[in-house]
Amino acid sequence: MEFSIKSGKPEKQRNDCVIVGVYESGKLSHSAQAIDDASEGFIGKVLKRGDMDGKLASSLILHGVAGIHADRVLLVGLGKHDELTEKGFRQAVIASVKALAKTGANDVASFLAESEVLNNDGKKQDAIWKISHMVEAVNDASYRFDVMKGKKDKSEKEVIKGITKLEVHVAESDDNQQAKIALKQGLALSSGVSFAKDLGNLPPNICTPTYLAERALAMVKTHGLTVEVLEREELKKLGMGSFLGVAQGSVQPPKLIVLKHFHGKKDQKPVVLVGKGITFDTGGISLKPGADMDEMKYDMCGAASVLGTFKAIAEMDLPLNVIGVIPACENMPDADAIRPGDVLTSMSGQTIEVLNTDAEGRLILCDALTYAEKFEPSAVIDIATLTGACVIALGHHVSAVFSNQDCLAKEILSAGEDALDRAWHMPMWEEYQSQLDSNFADIANIGGRAGGSITAACFLSRFAQKYHWAHLDIAGTAWKSGKEKGSTGRPVPLLTQFLKHRAEKA
Ligand code: BES
Ligand code: MN
Ligand code: ZN
């Protein structure tokens, strides 16, 4: 989709459609009022007839409105006047995309960014916020994953459905330069989110550890990153016995993918993002039940979020030093696979009793966390679809944050609020640690059913003692199940916002 920033009168736009807001009270937005004036009160009449009530995210397409230049007018409900929230604004924007998805309106002008949007503190959001969120919401709603569908023979005359060009209208008084920057930022973030979604949605026979490494390497040319891929032999030399233990049950070779975006000051300590890259999780010898097992292709969404975030910050030219570390492998049952009862020696030297081979995420992450020490990081954040227990605790709306430093957790929560990609701070107190006691090794890889997402975090904390660290469990937020099954691209918005804040502070 093509986006641009414009300003001008709604009644004078020669697009396939102009999009304007109306409120529940029957109150018209500025642009709806302008069209009403140009059309001798047509919009007012339509509302009086009761075809459109202005409820948030409702919509009505009007054709052939007299006195204006566009072919159509799309009325979008903004709910109660003076009560449009940030979420509500995005819902209205998404409604406008959906309403036009099945029409022949391709080239459209949206005036929704003129609406007054209130944040959680009741303060008005500026044009920059509205522009970048409009771009993201539009791209999010129009995302399709159909590369794996067979080619249908399309007739040449087939009309393209849905928006292909969107003019984001801003007031004459708005700073055009700033608006363009906001557009660029919104596009960069969308591009990172789409990338993460694509990687997540790809089938596990294609999206293998090798494939992830190739996609990362391809970003060297397109996005100016440095990428290094460590193979099994090098991982052996590093002593990553835990990571290699998980990988040994698969014919797919493991990869440790290391990305560098060094656009900050030379001596600035980097932020390290570590992403769980299990390209398929069968559970291993502790085999998972069959129902919904296909969804375990999404067990690399932590890795995908790291790659997506790198794409976004590269396209934003973010002045910050950031390193990505992705341990990628497959968790398969095999004659060679690790067994419950096996003891593995991690790169840190700590030995691990594997009581359940399905708790594999922590086994690959712990070595990646030890590896991250060498970068002398200012902070390390790992992102993982780590536990089913996290979904039981928090559901599908927010990600869980665990940290060994409260102010880092707060920083992450606030980035999530700003990006509308929220997270919640979970406890990780000392009391939980003893659930990981083992009779045969330094630590067990599971801590029982009680507080399963917390003991998983406790396990990781043992390998993250040398730096400020946070862990994001995204098991509930990285993808959707059911009819809308698909990757969400979360938490790329949160991570990107976190890094933007860090760059501003630097
Ligand atoms: N990838 C799964 C976690 C998961 C399961 C995420 C279902 C989303 C939906 C992880 O590797 C796993 O299997 N965890 C186990 C841990 C248990 C054996 C302690 C779990 O959550 O059941
Ligand atoms: Mn598992
Ligand atoms: Zn897993």
Side-chain angles (χ1 to χ4, degrees):
M1 187 165 330
E2 229 181 284
F3 290 87
S4 57
I5 300 286
K6 276 264 171 86
S7 38
K9 296 192 168 77
E11 68 277 16
K12 299 273 189 239
Q13 302 308 310
R14 293 179 185 279
N15 305 71
D16 298 340
C17 186
V18 290
I19 303 169
V20 298
V22 298
Y23 294 93
E24 249 177 66
S25 53
K27 191 175 160 55
L28 305 182
S29 62
H30 289 303
S31 51
Q33 187 61 55
I35 289 179
D36 194 57
D37 293 344
S39 61
E40 295 177 4
F42 186 62
I43 300 209
K45 276 181 222 153
V46 167
L47 296 183
K48 261 215 180 106
R49 285 179 204 145
D51 291 358
M52 164 73 177
D53 54 14
K55 284 235 163 63
L56 182 61
S58 59
S59 64
L60 182 69
I61 303 177
L62 307 174
H63 292 268
V65 178
I68 70 159
H69 292 317
D71 297 339
R72 306 169 185 77
V73 173
L74 176 69
L75 302 180
V76 177
L78 299 176
K80 294 203 174 77
H81 191 240
D82 288 336
E83 287 184 20
L84 184 61
T85 62
E86 294 175 329
K87 264 233 156 94
F89 174 72
R90 284 184 71 121
Q91 282 168 342
V93 169
I94 292 168
S96 70
V97 176
K98 294 211 166 138
L100 296 177
K102 289 187 177 131
T103 71
N106 308 132
D107 170 4
V108 308
S110 177
F111 286 80
L112 294 180
E114 71 182 359
S115 338
E116 193 179 289
V117 179
L118 303 174
N119 70 9
N120 286 345
D121 303 326
K123 288 208 188 88
K124 283 184 205 167
Q125 277 295 4
D126 56 12
I128 297 182
W129 185 96
K130 290 186 276 189
I131 294 162
S132 58
H133 278 270
M134 182 185 288
V135 172
E136 285 163 48
V138 166
N139 276 325
D140 200 52
S142 41
Y143 173 86
R144 295 281 171 281
F145 184 78
D146 46 21
V147 286
M148 303 311 295
K149 301 233 184 198
K151 283 192 191 77
K152 288 186 212 115
D153 50 326
K154 283 186 183 148
S155 78
E156 275 172 38
K157 277 187 197 149
E158 197 184 3
V159 186
I160 301 169
K161 301 281 189 199
I163 308 173
T164 54
K165 271 190 188 173
L166 180 84
E167 293 173 2
V168 180
H169 274 258
V170 298
E172 303 270 1
S173 57
D174 283 327
D175 182 340
N176 208 272
Q177 211 50 38
Q178 285 292 324
K180 286 194 173 139
I181 293 173
L183 174 63
K184 195 182 156 197
Q185 303 252 324
L187 286 174
L189 178 52
S190 303
S191 140
V193 168
S194 296
F195 186 40
K197 285 185 186 178
D198 282 347
L199 291 172
N201 288 330
L202 279 165
N205 58 330
I206 290 182
C207 187
T208 59
T210 305
Y211 181 86
L212 283 179
E214 278 165 7
R215 293 300 297 260
L217 285 166
M219 289 168 77
V220 174
K221 268 201 185 141
T222 54
H223 288 77
L225 312 171
T226 334
V227 177
E228 197 189 346
V229 177
L230 279 66
E231 306 289 337
R232 197 191 311 260
E233 280 313 307
E234 292 152 277
L235 304 177
K236 265 188 203 158
K237 274 185 211 143
L238 288 165
M240 294 195 176
S242 189
F243 177 22
L244 288 170
V246 176
Q248 80 192 31
S250 169
V251 293
Q252 295 294 337
K255 307 278 169 180
L256 187 80
I257 308 162
V258 183
L259 307 101
K260 286 183 189 155
H261 166 101
F262 261 64
H263 290 219
K265 289 201 192 88
K266 244 191 164 169
D267 57 349
Q268 178 192 78
K269 291 190 167 171
V271 173
V272 179
L273 302 179
V274 177
K276 172 177 173 184
I278 294 287
T279 60
F280 195 73
D281 181 11
T282 63
I285 296 298
S286 314
L287 193 63
K288 284 185 181 297
D292 299 327
M293 208 208 270
D294 66 289
E295 295 190 7
M296 281 298 114
K297 71 173 183 177
Y298 291 115
D299 214 14
M300 36 56 71
C301 283
S305 76
V306 173
L307 291 169
T309 302
F310 269 78
K311 187 157 192 177
I313 61 170
E315 289 178 14
M316 285 173 187
D317 280 324
L318 195 74
L320 196 73
N321 295 340
V322 190
I323 293 178
V325 180
I326 296 173
C329 71
E330 219 181 19
N331 188 22
M332 297 292 270
D334 181 77
D336 248 352
I338 50 168
R339 297 150 283 256
D342 279 4
V343 174
L344 304 173
T345 303
S346 66
M347 182 181 177
S348 72
Q350 296 176 82
T351 57
I352 303 161
E353 184 185 13
V354 180
L355 288 172
N356 189 319
T357 65
D358 198 11
E360 85 298 339
R362 59 198 83 181
L363 295 176
I364 70 168
L365 289 168
C366 68
D367 281 340
L369 289 172
T370 305
Y371 185 76
E373 283 173 11
K374 75 173 201 169
F375 301 115
E376 293 177 34
S378 60
V380 177
I381 304 176
D382 79 70
I383 308 100
T385 48
L386 202 63
T387 63
C390 178
V391 190
I392 303 302
L394 293 178
H396 295 284
H397 302 295
V398 298
S399 307
V401 184
F402 302 84
S403 180
N404 61 10
Q405 202 209 20
D406 275 352
C407 63
L408 177 58
K410 285 204 183 99
E411 212 181 326
I412 291 171
L413 294 190
S414 114
E417 288 283 347
D418 290 355
L420 296 184
D421 177 10
R422 290 196 291 189
W424 190 247
H425 192 180
M426 298 280 281
M428 207 188 53
W429 293 302
E430 193 51 42
E431 293 92 312
Y432 293 94
Q433 290 284 353
S434 61
Q435 287 179 239
L436 296 169
D437 287 351
S438 160
N439 285 354
F440 305 104
D442 297 333
I443 184 172
N445 82 325
I446 54 170
R449 272 168 56 81
S453 69
I454 302 174
T455 50
C458 286
F459 179 95
L460 296 177
S461 75
R462 306 276 186 107
F463 301 84
Q465 288 171 357
K466 302 216 169 114
Y467 43 68
H468 294 161
W469 158 81
H471 156 61
L472 285 173
D473 196 333
I474 58 165
T477 52
W479 76 92
K480 286 185 182 154
S481 309
K483 219 170 168 276
E484 290 191 349
K485 193 187 284 183
S487 177
T488 61
R490 292 178 70 183
V492 173
L494 178 154
L495 293 169
T496 305
Q497 186 61 49
F498 172 88
L499 297 172
K500 277 170 80 173
H501 280 162
R502 283 259 161 150
E504 278 161 24
K505 275 192 281 175

